[in-house]
């Protein structure tokens, strides 16, 4: 492990950029009374010190850029209790500081997207308090820390949506709260896109071709990697699958914006009062350059719709549910989301929706095959459902 750079924080604390076999990471460090430095854990005060640095305002410190939107410090650190990719520390009841345990290649889309959403007054996300970026030796800015308002008791959609769908499939009286929740999320996503309308431009033919080619590449990878039923189905129905994906090449002229880029139910947190959208880091499976590109709103919509289909599959795995009731609830959820979204985002073009949902399934086949075999039951069930369902559901 080699130290590449460090951001000095008050009280003998640091945020260090280290190079490890798997890539670069941002690591919090604290100095012990004997003078030695060690990796900090929640309670060591590095997240508190980060928040203190934000109170000094936006500034540059060597290769680090601190963007601050807060003047408030807080004390008392604790870890978050859910599984996550990065490492987040809660400070007081005020802030959540996320260290990037794996640095993406820059440039990084989050600063631009969060800044645009803030500027537009979008309130459907945790209040952003600050961002820290680091400029790599190649001259690319990437994100090393994200500091947001902490929302006590917030849970993501792999919890709230699975619970609501399970309950609604068990008993029709539980449908109204599910419908209300999903409609609210549909409006929230539409509000986010409305807030980003100022970033809109028009896709050219090269961009459309790149989307189509990327989808075909994803298909190639999924076919090569999958040994399960979805792999067999892809091989068997390849013509149909390719015809659907081919439509992405026709998107020249469609409107694009600085969308979320990695939207799914896991990015939608439910608090006591409302829903909020988090994680504007872009899609981790894309290259840095592709992650920065503006997207049709349908990319985000498809991510949400397909993840809602996956919610029903997950619900079925953990609870013995009547398949017909579940199928009803699942299509109701997708329709409700889309109707609510469309009512608030009337300019939305649904043409690529099915192709994009299919692409999402293909990505999950590859992801499950490479990293998470126990997730394969989800795309295995989602692929036949999508290929056989009606055009609009
Ligand atoms: P990762 O990039 O590691 O996946 P996320 O930003 O998606 O991290 O957050 C992981 C989890 O932390 C979320 O699922 C949620 O439970 C919790 N979380 C994230 N942001 C907040 C917040 N602002 N307030 C409360 N909890 C949050
Ligand atoms: Mg996340």
């Amino acid at each position: 492990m080699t130290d590449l750079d460090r951001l000095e924080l008050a009280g003998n604390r640091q945020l260090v950029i280290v190079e490890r076999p798997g890539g670069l990471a941002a690591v919090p460090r604290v100095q012990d009374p004997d003078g030695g430095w060690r990796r900090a854990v929640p309670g060591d005060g590095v997240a508190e010190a980060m928040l203190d640095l934000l109170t000094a305002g936006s500034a540059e410190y060597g290769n680090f850029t601190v963007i601050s939107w807060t003047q408030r410090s807080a004390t008392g650190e604790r870890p978050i209790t859910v599984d996550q990719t990065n490492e987040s520390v809660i400070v007081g009841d005020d802030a959540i500081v996320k260290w990037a345990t794996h640095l993406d290649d820059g440039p990084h889309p989050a600063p631009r997207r969060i800044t645009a959403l803030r500027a537009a007054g979008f309130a459907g996300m945790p209040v952003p308090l600050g961002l820290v970026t680091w400029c790599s030796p190649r001259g690319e800015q990437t994100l090393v820390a994200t500091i947001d308002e902490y929302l006590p008791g917030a849970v993501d959609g792999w919890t709230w949506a699975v619970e609501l769908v399970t309950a609604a499939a068990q008993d029709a009286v539980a449908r109204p709260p599910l419908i209300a929740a999903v409609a609210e999320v549909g409006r929230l996503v539409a509000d986010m896109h409305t807030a980003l309308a100022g970033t809109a431009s028009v896709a050219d033919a090269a961009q459309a071709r790149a989307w189509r080619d990327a989808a075909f590449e994803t298909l190639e990878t999924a076919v090569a990697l999958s040994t399960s039923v979805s792999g067999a189905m892809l091989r068997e129905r390849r013509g149909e699958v390719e015809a659907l994906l081919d439509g992405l090449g026709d998107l020249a002229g469609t409107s694009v914006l600085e969308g979320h880029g990695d939207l799914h139910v896991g990015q939608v947190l439910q608090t006591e009062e409302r829903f909020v959208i988090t994680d504007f880091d872009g899609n981790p499976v894309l290259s840095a350059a592709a992650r920065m590109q503006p997207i049709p709103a349908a990319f985000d919509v498809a991510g949400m719709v397909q993840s809602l289909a996956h919610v029903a599959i997950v619900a079925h795995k953990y609870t013995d549910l009547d398949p017909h009731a579940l199928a009803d609830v699942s299509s109701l959820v997708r329709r409700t989301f889309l109707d609510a979204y469309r009512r608030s985002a009337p300019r939305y073009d649904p043409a690529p929706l099915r192709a994009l949902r299919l692409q999402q399934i293909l990505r999950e086949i590859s992801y499950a095959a490479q990293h998470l075999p126990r997730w394969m039951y989800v795309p295995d069930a989602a692929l036949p459902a999508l290929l056989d369902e009606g055009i609009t559901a």
Side-chain angles (χ1 to χ4, degrees):
M1 195 161 86
T2 318
D3 290 5
L4 293 185
D5 207 345
R6 65 176 58 88
L7 175 64
E8 298 288 347
L9 301 169
N12 296 332
R13 287 162 177 90
Q14 301 173 337
L15 184 62
V16 186
I17 307 298
V18 301
E19 183 160 26
R20 296 188 296 212
L24 305 187
V27 174
R29 272 202 206 141
V30 62
Q31 193 171 32
D32 280 328
D34 67 8
W37 288 87
R38 65 172 168 80
R39 191 191 198 295
V41 294
D44 283 328
V46 184
E48 288 173 0
M50 188 74 248
L51 209 52
D52 281 343
L53 186 68
L54 295 186
T55 65
S58 299
E60 293 194 8
Y61 303 90
N63 297 314
F64 293 86
T65 301
V66 173
I67 304 166
S68 170
W69 295 296
T70 186
Q71 263 109 55
R72 275 180 51 189
S73 51
T75 54
E77 293 185 356
R78 60 187 196 280
I80 68 163
T81 51
V82 297
D83 278 357
Q84 70 167 146
T85 321
N86 293 289
E87 181 185 327
S88 295
V89 181
I90 301 162
V91 187
D93 282 324
D94 300 34
I96 182 161
V97 176
K98 178 160 93 175
W99 311 124
T101 51
H102 167 83
L103 301 196
D104 292 323
D105 288 339
H108 199 287
R112 209 162 72 188
R113 287 177 195 162
I114 292 172
T115 304
L117 286 166
R118 270 193 91 256
F122 179 63
M125 58 183 177
V127 175
L129 302 178
L131 295 170
V132 182
T133 63
W134 178 70
C135 189
S136 73
R138 292 211 321 264
E140 302 287 14
Q141 291 265 336
T142 190
L143 193 65
V144 296
T146 307
I147 305 95
D148 281 335
E149 162 198 28
Y150 173 62
L151 302 166
V155 291
D156 76 42
W158 299 114
T159 297
W160 65 258
V162 172
E163 284 175 6
L164 286 172
V165 164
T166 301
Q170 285 170 324
D171 191 339
V173 301
R175 288 188 182 196
L178 169 65
I179 291 171
V182 173
E184 191 180 331
V185 172
R187 287 189 294 273
L188 176 65
V189 174
D191 287 350
M192 175 181 73
H193 286 160
T194 303
L196 292 164
T199 68
S201 59
V202 172
D204 60 20
Q207 178 66 83
R209 173 134 299 260
W211 288 324
R212 180 213 169 267
D213 291 350
F216 272 70
E217 226 173 90
T218 313
L219 172 61
E220 218 47 74
T221 311
V223 168
L225 291 177
S226 174
T227 52
S228 65
V229 298
S230 48
M233 179 167 280
L234 287 177
R235 283 181 279 272
E236 207 174 288
R237 299 174 71 168
R238 189 154 183 155
E240 190 185 337
V241 167
E242 288 188 350
L244 197 46
L245 297 179
D246 205 37
L248 296 176
D250 301 333
L251 287 174
T254 203
S255 174
V256 292
L257 45 63
E258 285 281 335
H260 182 282
D262 187 28
L263 196 60
H264 55 78
V265 290
Q267 312 283 30
V268 180
L269 305 184
Q270 184 182 37
T271 74
E272 299 266 295
E273 296 94 35
R274 61 193 188 116
F275 292 93
V276 291
I277 297 172
T278 62
D279 194 346
F280 296 87
D281 295 351
N283 195 325
V285 306
L286 300 180
S287 69
R291 221 172 11 236
M292 291 295 282
Q293 295 295 324
I295 52 171
F299 280 40
D300 284 346
V301 174
M304 273 306 297
V305 169
Q306 194 53 37
S307 72
L308 287 167
H310 296 172
V311 161
I313 296 167
V314 171
H316 201 185
K317 169 99 169 165
Y318 293 99
T319 310
D320 187 19
L321 298 167
D322 173 56
H324 296 293
L326 183 63
D328 267 5
V329 167
S330 180
S331 88
L332 176 67
V333 161
R334 278 174 278 140
R335 270 200 322 272
T336 303
F337 171 82
L338 275 174
D339 287 349
Y341 176 81
R342 259 184 298 206
R343 263 197 298 278
S344 300
R347 287 189 318 169
Y348 156 72
D349 172 13
L353 187 62
R354 269 189 107 220
L356 293 168
R357 290 180 57 193
L358 175 59
Q359 171 167 257
Q360 185 57 32
I361 297 172
L362 298 175
R363 284 178 177 160
E364 302 211 11
I365 292 171
S366 303
Y367 185 80
Q370 286 171 300
H371 306 290
L372 199 62
R374 65 186 163 80
W375 183 250
M376 193 63 93
Y377 77 94
V378 173
D380 274 353
L383 182 66
L386 180 81
L387 291 179
D388 295 331
E389 84 186 11
I391 299 292
T392 53

